[in-house]
Amino acid sequence: PPSNPPLHTMWKPALAPLVLAVLLHPSAVHAIDNGKGIRPPMGWRSWNLYGENIDQKTMMKIMDGMVAKKRYVDGKLTSLCDLGYCDVGLDDNWQVCGGSPEHNFTYHSDAGFPNVNPERFPDMIQMTNYAHSLNLTAGWYLNNCICRDHCGNGQDHNETDTTCYVGDVAALIEFGFDSVKLDGCSKQRDLSVWADLIEKSGKSILIENCHWGETIPTKDWCPFNYYRTSQDVRASFDSVVGNLLTTVQFAKQNLSTPGCWAYPDGLEVGCANGPGGSSDPGLSPAETRSHFGSWVIVSSPLVISMDVNNDTLMDSIWDIIANTEALAVNQDYFGHSGSPFKQDDATVTLNGLEETFQAPTWMYFYKPLSYSGDKTAVLMMNMANDPQKLTLSFSDIPDFECDGKCSVRDVWERKDMGQYDGQLTLEVGGHDAAFVIIENKN
């Protein structure tokens, strides 16, 4: 056996739009039939802040923080899990690096079972049971990057050796995990094998494909519930923009849909000084709004990673991550996952992790909020350093019709802005984003 011992949300959008999405858009990608990820998953994962410096004690403290009711939403004390952030995921460095005598596996036994580090994680089952006692779900991480292993053929399809897949799935189930992130570093890259073994276990597991955009769905193949479109994100505005733009092609091909969502990596909100070192300087309040708002409007899974027990930090970001109107935009789906529709011809130079790239000085994203074309969300994102006056013409918004004046609501402020005739002009600060819902009530 393995070495270790043996949504509830404040707002509840109806499932009807999601059912209609499947019926009205038969060309949508064929998602894995495990009942998971019908809406973009929400939760917490350890890597973006803690990196390899993680252990069971820290994980269980985070679980406490996820259900703590310390802050208000609409006059009611509310926890992160009340808002939907209920999956708590352990990332890399749970394993013992050392190998097996016969096969020279790096973190698996000769029989293919994962070797858990008992000093860092003395009892995985106790940890997942604790999550379940708090009405949380618990996530694991496999095909690791630290001391990457070589069991498996390293191919995305046609795997010839399933020894370690079988051992890992057995541990996944025995330890009591509810979700799993499958990285791309070790040799177990065949996602169909993973999905098949998990299905045969009899337990529905939420599956993340973390192959950095290298293994992507097709119209009829998606054996996972969400998939990375990018390399790792860092806690810098330039990195956020670069990763965000990797989602565009998938939205335009309708490859980001219920049960199979495009994912530009976890949220860097509140994650300054993470494992990226100087690449993780942190985000300003304006950049935090842009980051969160842009992940929201492209229907990305919302996976936070900050220290949820740091009260000063949580107070500073609560109004953003606990904005129920923003969360509702993210969680609803009306046939399109959200994408850009207009941008400036002028560009600004941003610094990616490996090279610089050009981005428009401003870009507008939309996501429909009805099938009838009378309601939509729009994010007006300023990529430049300085404030800009940005004008949005309602006629430019795809799949939206405004007969006369339309109502505009400020998502960040959660208040109505009034009626506007054909267009809206706002001053948006550098690296900030205006976020509005526009509705034709005529």
Side-chain angles (χ1 to χ4, degrees):
S3 58
N4 252 40
L7 211 274
H8 52 283
T9 58
M10 296 190 66
W11 37 266
K12 297 182 179 179
L15 279 173
L18 300 174
V19 175
L20 282 172
V22 176
L23 296 176
L24 296 178
H25 298 270
S27 62
V29 64
H30 178 68
I32 186 173
D33 186 19
N34 64 359
K36 301 293 184 180
I38 304 303
R39 298 190 180 93
M42 296 173 62
W44 182 98
R45 186 165 280 277
S46 60
W47 185 261
N48 282 10
L49 181 63
Y50 292 95
E52 63 185 41
N53 299 311
I54 194 67
D55 55 32
Q56 182 170 331
K57 183 178 179 180
T58 301
M59 289 295 298
M60 292 173 74
K61 285 184 177 178
I62 291 294
M63 292 172 186
D64 289 333
M66 299 298 286
V67 298
K69 297 177 185 286
K70 293 184 177 182
R71 295 166 187 86
Y72 288 89
V73 174
D74 294 333
K76 181 180 178 180
L77 282 170
T78 302
S79 72
L80 285 164
C81 187
D82 289 332
L83 294 162
Y85 303 97
C86 293
D87 189 66
V88 180
L90 166 64
D91 214 277
D92 210 346
N93 211 29
W94 52 259
Q95 68 273 32
V96 170
C97 301
S100 64
E102 182 178 346
H103 297 95
N104 197 30
F105 293 152
T106 308
Y107 63 86
H108 289 89
S109 70
D110 286 332
F113 292 109
N115 291 324
V116 177
N117 185 332
E119 294 183 2
R120 287 182 176 271
F121 293 91
D123 194 334
M124 287 284 204
I125 293 176
Q126 179 194 39
M127 184 177 73
T128 61
N129 282 345
Y130 189 65
H132 298 153
S133 75
L134 299 174
N135 292 321
L136 299 168
T137 54
W140 205 17
Y141 169 92
L142 294 168
N143 203 40
N144 305 25
C145 290
I146 295 174
C147 63
R148 56 190 66 187
D149 218 327
H150 58 266
C151 46
N153 66 11
Q155 302 301 310
D156 288 348
H157 306 284
N158 303 314
E159 178 61 79
T160 56
D161 183 1
T162 62
T163 301
C164 292
Y165 293 83
V166 172
D168 285 346
V169 172
L172 179 72
I173 302 305
E174 181 169 343
F175 290 161
F177 287 104
D178 309 286
S179 66
V180 64
K181 173 182 174 180
L182 301 173
D183 217 324
C185 290
S186 293
K187 297 293 187 180
Q188 299 164 254
R189 289 181 57 100
D190 193 324
L191 294 162
S192 292
V193 170
W194 282 114
D196 184 57
L197 288 170
I198 290 171
E199 180 182 16
K200 288 177 179 177
S201 77
K203 181 175 181 178
S204 292
I205 300 286
L206 180 74
I207 301 173
E208 175 191 343
N209 158 10
C210 183
H211 286 192
W212 324 300
E214 296 172 359
T215 309
I216 60 176
T218 65
K219 292 292 185 184
D220 57 6
W221 182 82
C222 184
F224 36 81
N225 299 112
Y226 58 115
Y227 59 98
R228 279 278 292 277
T229 59
S230 64
Q231 294 293 320
D232 288 359
V233 70
R234 298 267 57 95
S236 75
F237 183 75
D238 294 13
S239 176
V240 164
V241 173
N243 278 40
L244 169 66
L245 296 180
T246 65
T247 67
V248 175
Q249 61 171 315
F250 301 103
K252 290 187 174 181
Q253 296 176 69
N254 204 25
L255 290 175
S256 182
T257 60
C260 186
W261 301 104
Y263 178 52
D265 203 2
L267 288 159
E268 288 282 2
V269 173
C271 290
N273 305 312
S278 60
S279 297
D280 283 331
L283 303 174
S284 70
E287 292 168 346
T288 298
R289 277 189 296 274
S290 283
H291 179 21
F292 190 78
S294 60
W295 261 233
V296 160
I297 205 162
V298 298
S299 301
S300 169
L302 301 179
V303 183
I304 55 179
S305 193
M306 78 288 286
D307 180 358
V308 299
N309 295 305
N310 181 328
D311 287 335
T312 300
L313 171 67
M314 292 299 293
D315 288 344
S316 71
I317 62 175
W318 182 254
D319 287 345
I320 297 174
I321 64 172
N323 186 313
T324 54
E325 294 187 19
L327 295 177
V329 170
N330 175 258
Q331 296 288 284
D332 278 341
Y333 180 77
F334 291 91
H336 181 68
S337 59
S339 63
F341 64 94
K342 192 170 184 179
Q343 63 187 49
D344 195 6
D345 292 332
T347 61
V348 59
T349 300
L350 301 178
N351 295 308
L353 287 179
E354 298 180 356
E355 59 185 7
T356 61
F357 64 98
Q358 299 297 309
T361 64
W362 53 261
M363 179 176 277
Y364 298 165
F365 292 76
Y366 85 106
K367 182 179 179 181
L369 298 180
S370 76
Y371 283 117
S372 58
D374 59 1
K375 189 176 183 181
T376 190
V378 173
L379 188 83
M380 303 164 67
M381 193 170 179
N382 181 4
M383 315 286 198
N385 290 320
D386 297 324
Q388 298 191 76
K389 279 191 174 181
L390 302 181
T391 296
L392 167 67
S393 294
F394 299 160
S395 60
D396 289 336
I397 305 171
D399 305 317
F400 177 73
E401 295 184 6
C402 182
D403 302 325
K405 292 185 177 181
C406 279
S407 300
V408 178
R409 184 169 176 83
D410 187 326
V411 173
W412 296 136
E413 296 296 328
R414 299 179 63 200
K415 67 179 183 182
D416 292 328
M417 298 172 62
Q419 299 276 317
Y420 288 78
D421 190 0
Q423 67 178 31
L424 171 70
T425 299
L426 298 171
E427 179 160 317
V428 181
H431 292 186
D432 209 340
F435 196 0
V436 295
I437 293 174
I438 306 169
E439 186 171 7
N440 182 1
K441 296 182 179 181
N442 298 320

